[in-house]
Amino acid sequence: HTFFLDQSFAQQLMGMGLTPRSEVLRKRVTIIEGTTPESLSSKKGSQALELIRLRFGNDITIGIQYTTIITDLCPNLHIHDFRVNSLYDLLQNHYKIPISRIDQSVSAVLSDEWHRNLLKIRDAAPLLRVHTTAYLDNKDPIETSTSYYRADRYEFSISQNY
């Protein structure tokens, strides 16, 4: 299966004929501090939501996502059920927040024991680590995530128009 980085996780899976679902390992309202992801450092003091989700396609473990979202423009984001709701869908359609740019970087890492257990893989298998940061029209960051995907099942592909 090929993932396209310009689509949400849910869109990608549905496009492949798979049913997306998430298991929420952590959902916590927090404040952006010095220890939060560097891409959100300009938002220090802002309210945020921290999400850690195990991601599935047709009940097959695909990856784990660590996400931090600035919630100034999306109050009560934490009340939504992230087992079934797509974060990007909520931001764009429920809160009407236009995301104008998403920066992404992809690298390969060896899985550690924590990720091997969660993703049900043996040995130190390679994982695809994907960092994303989403920006608003005014260039303010609104969301950042680090995802670890099983490299034995998925590859990433980028298509750009010029």
Side-chain angles (χ1 to χ4, degrees), residues 17-124:
L18 300 174
T19 303
R21 119 179 136 74
S22 298
E23 187 179 309
V24 179
L25 303 181
R26 180 186 211 178
K27 180 165 71 167
R28 184 173 76 108
V29 174
T30 186
I31 299 287
I32 298 295
E33 299 167 346
T35 56
T36 48
E38 189 183 326
S39 53
L40 297 180
S41 60
S42 66
K43 303 301 286 180
K44 199 170 176 178
S46 294
Q47 286 220 337
L49 180 65
E50 236 177 58
L51 277 178
I52 301 176
R53 293 172 290 171
L54 205 50
R55 310 305 299 262
F56 298 86
N58 285 1
D59 293 324
I60 297 165
T61 313
I62 290 173
I64 183 167
Q65 279 186 314
Y66 303 86
T67 306
T68 305
I69 312 107
I70 304 295
T71 55
D72 298 350
L73 299 174
C74 43
N76 296 318
L77 184 62
H78 65 279
I79 68 171
H80 294 279
D81 184 355
F82 289 99
R83 291 174 302 178
V84 291
N85 280 317
S86 158
L87 172 63
Y88 277 31
D89 185 55
L90 281 171
L91 293 179
Q92 292 173 325
N93 297 314
H94 182 77
Y95 290 101
K96 308 293 185 216
I97 298 171
I99 292 170
S100 64
R101 189 178 104 220
I102 299 176
D103 289 350
Q104 293 163 318
S105 67
V106 180
S107 57
V109 295
L110 281 177
S111 57
D112 57 15
E113 189 178 0
W114 166 256
H115 288 110
R116 281 196 298 277
N117 288 336
L118 283 171
L119 299 174
K120 297 175 175 40
I121 49 180
R122 283 177 277 156
D123 310 321

Side-chain angles (χ1 to χ4, degrees), residues 43 73 98 100 135-141:
K43 303 301 286 180
L73 299 174
S100 64
Y135 295 89
L136 305 172
D137 287 341
N138 65 3
K139 300 194 176 28
D140 272 0

